Amino acid sequence: MFSLCYLPTAGRLTLTVIKCRNLKAMDITGYSDPYVKVSLLCDGRRLKKKKTTIKRNTLNPTYNEAIIFDIPPENMDQVSLLISVMDYDRVGHNEIIGVCRVANSAEGLGRDHWNEMLAYPRKPIAHWHPLVEVKKSYKEWHGRAASFDSQGSCPSPKPPPTP
């Protein structure tokens, strides 16, 4: 469960990770050490990523942590947020428990939540999102971290071609 809130005058998007429930056990203990990683994508390229704290030995973590991105209003149609719930491992690689995406270009609840946030500026809109398990399609979901300008911003929207 997370909330989205956009302040168009400040160009600030706040995603508040509230909590997760019934996560998949990833550790031998029958629990996980989950944290949430949020990536800001523009046209498939990762511009920024931010993480919550790690909650130890739980399948139902509570976070209540705000993650803030600066996005000008003219770029809101080009960006998306990839929310990945990860299992922290001290040894080896951190594992992906599941992902979801919110954007104008997302499908289903991801698009509905995004549009509701834009329709009610300055108001936090919270929803539960199901996680999708990632197998080999991780790159398809995540996009590759490609080069971007020094600001880490989206290109300006292109003007329509003249006839």
Side-chain angles (χ1 to χ4, degrees), residues 6-49:
Y6 187 62
L7 293 106
T9 50
R12 185 180 320 139
L13 174 62
T14 303
L15 181 148
T16 303
V17 179
I18 301 168
K19 59 186 169 180
C20 303
R21 68 178 176 210
N22 302 323
L23 292 177
K24 184 177 169 187
M26 303 295 279
D27 296 339
I28 200 166
T29 60
Y31 292 102
S32 292
D33 300 317
Y35 67 94
V36 180
K37 179 170 73 174
V38 182
S39 299
L40 174 66
L41 307 174
C42 176
D43 297 330
R45 298 175 315 173
R46 187 174 68 212
L47 300 180
K48 290 203 168 38
K49 68 178 177 184

Short mmCIF file of all heavy atoms in Angstrom, two decimals, residues 6-49:
data_model
loop_
_atom_site.label_atom_id
_atom_site.label_comp_id
_atom_site.label_asym_id
_atom_site.label_seq_id
_atom_site.Cartn_x
_atom_site.Cartn_y
_atom_site.Cartn_z
N TYR A 6 0.75 14.74 -5.73
CA TYR A 6 1.51 15.62 -6.63
C TYR A 6 1.17 17.08 -6.36
O TYR A 6 -0.01 17.44 -6.27
CB TYR A 6 1.24 15.28 -8.10
CG TYR A 6 2.15 16.04 -9.04
CD1 TYR A 6 3.53 15.86 -8.99
CD2 TYR A 6 1.63 16.94 -9.96
CE1 TYR A 6 4.37 16.56 -9.84
CE2 TYR A 6 2.46 17.64 -10.82
CZ TYR A 6 3.84 17.45 -10.75
OH TYR A 6 4.67 18.15 -11.60
N LEU A 7 2.21 17.89 -6.21
CA LEU A 7 2.04 19.34 -6.06
C LEU A 7 2.53 20.00 -7.35
O LEU A 7 3.75 20.15 -7.54
CB LEU A 7 2.87 19.87 -4.88
CG LEU A 7 2.40 19.38 -3.52
CD1 LEU A 7 3.34 18.34 -2.97
CD2 LEU A 7 2.27 20.54 -2.58
N PRO A 8 1.60 20.35 -8.25
CA PRO A 8 2.02 20.88 -9.55
C PRO A 8 2.80 22.19 -9.44
O PRO A 8 3.73 22.41 -10.21
CB PRO A 8 0.71 21.10 -10.32
CG PRO A 8 -0.40 20.67 -9.44
CD PRO A 8 0.16 20.23 -8.12
N THR A 9 2.44 23.05 -8.48
CA THR A 9 3.14 24.34 -8.38
C THR A 9 4.60 24.15 -8.00
O THR A 9 5.47 24.87 -8.49
CB THR A 9 2.45 25.25 -7.33
OG1 THR A 9 2.26 24.50 -6.13
CG2 THR A 9 1.11 25.75 -7.83
N ALA A 10 4.90 23.16 -7.16
CA ALA A 10 6.28 22.89 -6.75
C ALA A 10 6.94 21.85 -7.66
O ALA A 10 8.16 21.66 -7.60
CB ALA A 10 6.31 22.40 -5.31
N GLY A 11 6.14 21.16 -8.49
CA GLY A 11 6.67 20.08 -9.32
C GLY A 11 7.21 18.94 -8.46
O GLY A 11 8.24 18.36 -8.77
N ARG A 12 6.49 18.61 -7.38
CA ARG A 12 6.96 17.60 -6.44
C ARG A 12 5.98 16.44 -6.34
O ARG A 12 4.80 16.64 -6.05
CB ARG A 12 7.16 18.20 -5.06
CG ARG A 12 7.77 17.18 -4.10
CD ARG A 12 7.99 17.71 -2.70
NE ARG A 12 8.47 19.07 -2.70
CZ ARG A 12 8.04 20.01 -1.84
NH1 ARG A 12 7.15 19.72 -0.92
NH2 ARG A 12 8.52 21.22 -1.90
N LEU A 13 6.49 15.24 -6.57
CA LEU A 13 5.71 14.01 -6.43
C LEU A 13 6.18 13.29 -5.16
O LEU A 13 7.37 13.01 -5.02
CB LEU A 13 5.91 13.11 -7.65
CG LEU A 13 5.27 11.72 -7.58
CD1 LEU A 13 3.76 11.81 -7.48
CD2 LEU A 13 5.65 10.92 -8.81
N THR A 14 5.24 13.03 -4.26
CA THR A 14 5.56 12.31 -3.03
C THR A 14 4.87 10.95 -3.06
O THR A 14 3.65 10.88 -3.20
CB THR A 14 5.09 13.10 -1.79
OG1 THR A 14 5.70 14.39 -1.81
CG2 THR A 14 5.47 12.37 -0.50
N LEU A 15 5.67 9.91 -2.98
CA LEU A 15 5.14 8.55 -2.85
C LEU A 15 5.43 8.14 -1.40
O LEU A 15 6.58 8.14 -0.98
CB LEU A 15 5.84 7.60 -3.83
CG LEU A 15 5.36 6.15 -3.81
CD1 LEU A 15 5.48 5.54 -5.20
CD2 LEU A 15 6.10 5.29 -2.81
N THR A 16 4.38 7.84 -0.65
CA THR A 16 4.56 7.39 0.73
C THR A 16 4.30 5.89 0.78
O THR A 16 3.19 5.44 0.50
CB THR A 16 3.61 8.14 1.70
OG1 THR A 16 3.86 9.53 1.58
CG2 THR A 16 3.85 7.69 3.13
N VAL A 17 5.36 5.13 1.07
CA VAL A 17 5.23 3.68 1.23
C VAL A 17 4.62 3.46 2.61
O VAL A 17 5.21 3.83 3.62
CB VAL A 17 6.60 2.98 1.13
CG1 VAL A 17 6.43 1.47 1.32
CG2 VAL A 17 7.26 3.28 -0.21
N ILE A 18 3.41 2.92 2.64
CA ILE A 18 2.70 2.75 3.90
C ILE A 18 3.01 1.38 4.51
O ILE A 18 3.59 1.29 5.58
CB ILE A 18 1.19 2.98 3.72
CG1 ILE A 18 0.96 4.41 3.19
CG2 ILE A 18 0.44 2.75 5.04
CD1 ILE A 18 -0.44 4.70 2.70
N LYS A 19 2.62 0.31 3.82
CA LYS A 19 2.91 -1.03 4.35
C LYS A 19 2.73 -2.08 3.27
O LYS A 19 2.21 -1.81 2.19
CB LYS A 19 2.00 -1.35 5.54
CG LYS A 19 0.51 -1.30 5.25
CD LYS A 19 -0.27 -1.49 6.55
CE LYS A 19 -1.74 -1.18 6.36
NZ LYS A 19 -2.48 -1.37 7.61
N CYS A 20 3.16 -3.28 3.59
CA CYS A 20 2.97 -4.46 2.73
C CYS A 20 2.33 -5.54 3.58
O CYS A 20 2.49 -5.56 4.79
CB CYS A 20 4.31 -4.99 2.20
SG CYS A 20 5.31 -3.81 1.30
N ARG A 21 1.65 -6.46 2.93
CA ARG A 21 1.09 -7.58 3.68
C ARG A 21 1.19 -8.85 2.86
O ARG A 21 1.13 -8.83 1.63
CB ARG A 21 -0.35 -7.31 4.13
CG ARG A 21 -1.35 -7.25 3.01
CD ARG A 21 -2.76 -7.02 3.55
NE ARG A 21 -3.66 -6.87 2.41
CZ ARG A 21 -4.75 -6.15 2.39
NH1 ARG A 21 -5.10 -5.48 3.47
NH2 ARG A 21 -5.49 -6.08 1.32
N ASN A 22 1.34 -9.96 3.59
CA ASN A 22 1.41 -11.30 2.98
C ASN A 22 2.50 -11.42 1.92
O ASN A 22 2.27 -11.98 0.85
CB ASN A 22 0.05 -11.68 2.37
CG ASN A 22 -1.06 -11.67 3.40
OD1 ASN A 22 -0.85 -12.04 4.55
ND2 ASN A 22 -2.23 -11.21 3.00
N LEU A 23 3.68 -10.88 2.23
CA LEU A 23 4.80 -11.00 1.30
C LEU A 23 5.28 -12.45 1.25
O LEU A 23 5.06 -13.22 2.20
CB LEU A 23 5.96 -10.09 1.72
CG LEU A 23 5.72 -8.59 1.62
CD1 LEU A 23 6.93 -7.83 2.14
CD2 LEU A 23 5.41 -8.17 0.19
N LYS A 24 5.93 -12.80 0.17
CA LYS A 24 6.48 -14.13 0.01
C LYS A 24 7.72 -14.29 0.90
O LYS A 24 8.56 -13.40 0.97
CB LYS A 24 6.87 -14.31 -1.47
CG LYS A 24 7.36 -15.66 -1.84
CD LYS A 24 7.62 -15.68 -3.35
CE LYS A 24 8.37 -16.93 -3.75
NZ LYS A 24 8.76 -16.89 -5.15
N ALA A 25 7.80 -15.42 1.59
CA ALA A 25 8.99 -15.72 2.41
C ALA A 25 10.16 -16.02 1.49
O ALA A 25 10.06 -16.88 0.62
CB ALA A 25 8.70 -16.90 3.33
N MET A 26 11.26 -15.31 1.67
CA MET A 26 12.42 -15.48 0.79
C MET A 26 13.61 -16.08 1.53
O MET A 26 14.58 -16.50 0.91
CB MET A 26 12.83 -14.12 0.20
CG MET A 26 11.74 -13.40 -0.57
SD MET A 26 11.19 -14.25 -2.05
CE MET A 26 12.46 -13.77 -3.20
N ASP A 27 13.56 -16.09 2.86
CA ASP A 27 14.68 -16.58 3.65
C ASP A 27 14.37 -17.96 4.23
O ASP A 27 13.22 -18.34 4.37
CB ASP A 27 15.01 -15.61 4.79
CG ASP A 27 15.48 -14.25 4.27
OD1 ASP A 27 15.92 -14.18 3.11
OD2 ASP A 27 15.40 -13.27 5.02
N ILE A 28 15.42 -18.65 4.63
CA ILE A 28 15.29 -20.00 5.21
C ILE A 28 14.49 -19.97 6.51
O ILE A 28 13.91 -20.96 6.93
CB ILE A 28 16.70 -20.61 5.41
CG1 ILE A 28 16.60 -22.12 5.52
CG2 ILE A 28 17.42 -19.98 6.57
CD1 ILE A 28 17.93 -22.83 5.37
N THR A 29 14.42 -18.79 7.14
CA THR A 29 13.69 -18.63 8.41
C THR A 29 12.17 -18.64 8.22
O THR A 29 11.44 -18.69 9.20
CB THR A 29 14.07 -17.30 9.06
OG1 THR A 29 13.72 -16.24 8.15
CG2 THR A 29 15.55 -17.21 9.38
N GLY A 30 11.72 -18.56 6.95
CA GLY A 30 10.29 -18.47 6.69
C GLY A 30 9.81 -17.02 6.66
O GLY A 30 8.62 -16.75 6.55
N TYR A 31 10.74 -16.08 6.74
CA TYR A 31 10.41 -14.66 6.67
C TYR A 31 11.22 -14.01 5.55
O TYR A 31 11.91 -14.68 4.79
CB TYR A 31 10.73 -13.96 8.01
CG TYR A 31 9.83 -14.41 9.13
CD1 TYR A 31 10.28 -15.32 10.09
CD2 TYR A 31 8.54 -13.93 9.24
CE1 TYR A 31 9.46 -15.74 11.12
CE2 TYR A 31 7.70 -14.34 10.27
CZ TYR A 31 8.17 -15.24 11.21
OH TYR A 31 7.35 -15.65 12.21
N SER A 32 11.13 -12.70 5.48
CA SER A 32 11.94 -11.92 4.56
C SER A 32 12.46 -10.71 5.32
O SER A 32 12.00 -10.41 6.42
CB SER A 32 11.11 -11.45 3.36
OG SER A 32 10.73 -12.54 2.55
N ASP A 33 13.41 -10.01 4.71
CA ASP A 33 13.92 -8.74 5.24
C ASP A 33 13.60 -7.69 4.17
O ASP A 33 14.49 -7.25 3.44
CB ASP A 33 15.44 -8.82 5.48
CG ASP A 33 15.80 -9.91 6.49
OD1 ASP A 33 15.10 -10.02 7.51
OD2 ASP A 33 16.78 -10.64 6.25
N PRO A 34 12.32 -7.29 4.08
CA PRO A 34 11.91 -6.47 2.93
C PRO A 34 12.26 -4.99 3.06
O PRO A 34 12.32 -4.43 4.15
CB PRO A 34 10.39 -6.65 2.90
CG PRO A 34 10.02 -6.98 4.31
CD PRO A 34 11.19 -7.70 4.90
N TYR A 35 12.52 -4.41 1.90
CA TYR A 35 12.59 -2.96 1.75
C TYR A 35 11.97 -2.64 0.40
O TYR A 35 11.75 -3.54 -0.43
CB TYR A 35 14.02 -2.43 1.87
CG TYR A 35 14.98 -2.84 0.76
CD1 TYR A 35 15.18 -2.01 -0.35
CD2 TYR A 35 15.69 -4.03 0.82
CE1 TYR A 35 16.07 -2.38 -1.35
CE2 TYR A 35 16.57 -4.40 -0.16
CZ TYR A 35 16.77 -3.56 -1.26
OH TYR A 35 17.64 -3.91 -2.26
N VAL A 36 11.63 -1.38 0.18
CA VAL A 36 10.99 -0.98 -1.07
C VAL A 36 11.93 -0.03 -1.81
O VAL A 36 12.44 0.92 -1.23
CB VAL A 36 9.63 -0.29 -0.80
CG1 VAL A 36 8.97 0.12 -2.11
CG2 VAL A 36 8.71 -1.23 -0.02
N LYS A 37 12.14 -0.35 -3.09
CA LYS A 37 12.97 0.49 -3.95
C LYS A 37 12.05 1.13 -4.98
O LYS A 37 11.27 0.43 -5.63
CB LYS A 37 14.05 -0.36 -4.62
CG LYS A 37 14.95 0.44 -5.56
CD LYS A 37 16.15 -0.39 -6.01
CE LYS A 37 15.76 -1.45 -7.01
NZ LYS A 37 16.92 -2.16 -7.58
N VAL A 38 12.12 2.44 -5.10
CA VAL A 38 11.28 3.16 -6.06
C VAL A 38 12.19 3.79 -7.11
O VAL A 38 13.10 4.56 -6.77
CB VAL A 38 10.42 4.25 -5.38
CG1 VAL A 38 9.53 4.94 -6.39
CG2 VAL A 38 9.58 3.64 -4.26
N SER A 39 11.96 3.45 -8.38
CA SER A 39 12.75 4.01 -9.48
C SER A 39 11.88 4.95 -10.30
O SER A 39 10.75 4.61 -10.66
CB SER A 39 13.26 2.90 -10.40
OG SER A 39 14.09 2.02 -9.69
N LEU A 40 12.43 6.13 -10.57
CA LEU A 40 11.77 7.10 -11.46
C LEU A 40 12.29 6.84 -12.86
O LEU A 40 13.50 6.93 -13.11
CB LEU A 40 12.09 8.53 -11.02
CG LEU A 40 11.60 9.64 -11.95
CD1 LEU A 40 10.08 9.69 -11.98
CD2 LEU A 40 12.17 10.98 -11.50
N LEU A 41 11.39 6.47 -13.76
CA LEU A 41 11.76 6.16 -15.13
C LEU A 41 11.20 7.23 -16.08
O LEU A 41 10.12 7.75 -15.85
CB LEU A 41 11.21 4.80 -15.56
CG LEU A 41 11.53 3.60 -14.67
CD1 LEU A 41 10.78 2.37 -15.16
CD2 LEU A 41 13.01 3.33 -14.64
N CYS A 42 11.96 7.51 -17.12
CA CYS A 42 11.49 8.40 -18.19
C CYS A 42 11.82 7.73 -19.51
O CYS A 42 12.99 7.47 -19.80
CB CYS A 42 12.17 9.77 -18.11
SG CYS A 42 11.72 10.85 -19.48
N ASP A 43 10.78 7.43 -20.28
CA ASP A 43 10.97 6.75 -21.56
C ASP A 43 11.85 5.51 -21.41
O ASP A 43 12.74 5.26 -22.22
CB ASP A 43 11.56 7.71 -22.60
CG ASP A 43 10.64 8.88 -22.90
OD1 ASP A 43 9.41 8.70 -22.79
OD2 ASP A 43 11.13 9.98 -23.22
N GLY A 44 11.62 4.73 -20.33
CA GLY A 44 12.34 3.47 -20.13
C GLY A 44 13.71 3.61 -19.48
O GLY A 44 14.34 2.61 -19.17
N ARG A 45 14.19 4.83 -19.26
CA ARG A 45 15.50 5.02 -18.63
C ARG A 45 15.31 5.37 -17.16
O ARG A 45 14.45 6.18 -16.84
CB ARG A 45 16.26 6.16 -19.30
CG ARG A 45 16.56 5.92 -20.77
CD ARG A 45 17.20 7.14 -21.37
NE ARG A 45 16.47 8.35 -20.94
CZ ARG A 45 16.86 9.58 -21.19
NH1 ARG A 45 17.96 9.80 -21.85
NH2 ARG A 45 16.15 10.61 -20.78
N ARG A 46 16.14 4.80 -16.30
CA ARG A 46 16.04 5.12 -14.88
C ARG A 46 16.77 6.43 -14.61
O ARG A 46 17.96 6.56 -14.89
CB ARG A 46 16.63 4.00 -14.03
CG ARG A 46 16.38 4.26 -12.53
CD ARG A 46 16.81 3.11 -11.67
NE ARG A 46 18.25 2.98 -11.69
CZ ARG A 46 18.90 1.84 -11.59
NH1 ARG A 46 18.24 0.71 -11.48
NH2 ARG A 46 20.20 1.80 -11.61
N LEU A 47 16.05 7.40 -14.05
CA LEU A 47 16.65 8.69 -13.74
C LEU A 47 17.12 8.74 -12.29
O LEU A 47 18.18 9.29 -12.00
CB LEU A 47 15.65 9.82 -13.97
CG LEU A 47 15.10 9.96 -15.39
CD1 LEU A 47 14.14 11.12 -15.46
CD2 LEU A 47 16.24 10.15 -16.39
N LYS A 48 16.32 8.20 -11.39
CA LYS A 48 16.66 8.23 -9.97
C LYS A 48 16.08 6.99 -9.31
O LYS A 48 15.09 6.44 -9.77
CB LYS A 48 16.03 9.47 -9.30
CG LYS A 48 16.67 10.78 -9.71
CD LYS A 48 16.42 11.83 -8.65
CE LYS A 48 17.22 13.09 -8.78
NZ LYS A 48 17.47 13.60 -10.07
N LYS A 49 16.69 6.58 -8.19
CA LYS A 49 16.11 5.51 -7.40
C LYS A 49 16.30 5.86 -5.93
O LYS A 49 17.31 6.45 -5.54
CB LYS A 49 16.71 4.15 -7.74
CG LYS A 49 18.15 3.98 -7.36
CD LYS A 49 18.65 2.59 -7.69
CE LYS A 49 20.14 2.53 -7.35
NZ LYS A 49 20.75 1.28 -7.70
#
